[in-house]
């Protein structure tokens, strides 16, 4: 699954276009490597995302095409959340 689509479905970022912009700014890493919006993600990958003054590190636990809002957080596990 594409990175931008995963971020939208998991509701970490609300819109796919916004996810693409964040990736283009170099604020997302997959397993420690700079990520593009079109990069493929898989179960077990570690994502590091910078939101302003926060840095969120998650591990992907599941991939699905659609998910209900209250089940979106089941697609990933938060490893760390810290101020930058």
């Amino acid at each position: 699954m594409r990175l931008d689509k995963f971020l939208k479905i998991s509701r970490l970022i609300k819109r796919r276009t916004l996810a693409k912009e964040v990736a283009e700014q170099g604020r997302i890493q997959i397993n420690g490597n700079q990520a593009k919006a079109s990069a493929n993600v898989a179960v077990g990958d570690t994502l590091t995302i910078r939101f302003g003054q926060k840095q969120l590190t998650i591990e992907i636990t599941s991939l699905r095409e659609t998910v209900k809002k209250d089940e979106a957080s089941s697609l990933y596990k938060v490893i760390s959340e810290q101020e930058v």
Side-chain angles (χ1 to χ4, degrees):
M1 176 181 290
R2 285 175 54 111
L3 173 62
D4 55 352
K5 186 171 182 179
F6 174 78
L7 292 171
K8 179 188 178 294
I9 290 172
S10 65
R11 290 172 172 78
L12 287 166
I13 297 180
K14 288 191 177 205
R15 294 184 315 268
R16 199 166 168 178
T17 54
L18 184 59
K20 183 178 181 215
E21 289 173 17
V22 171
E24 286 175 354
Q25 293 170 359
R27 294 171 30 196
I28 302 176
Q29 294 181 342
I30 300 175
N31 299 326
N33 299 318
Q34 200 79 346
K36 292 184 178 181
S38 61
N40 286 322
V41 294
V43 174
D45 283 351
T46 303
L47 297 181
T48 304
I49 309 166
R50 271 190 299 125
F51 297 105
Q53 300 301 314
K54 278 189 182 174
Q55 183 168 323
L56 179 67
T57 304
I58 64 163
E59 180 181 341
I60 298 173
T61 57
S62 175
L63 293 176
R64 288 191 257 162
E65 291 296 318
T66 59
V67 66
K68 293 181 181 175
K69 185 176 183 179
D70 54 343
E71 297 172 356
S73 62
S74 69
L75 297 177
Y76 60 90
K77 175 176 70 172
V78 176
I79 297 171
S80 70
E81 187 173 347
Q82 56 192 356
E83 296 290 324
V84 178

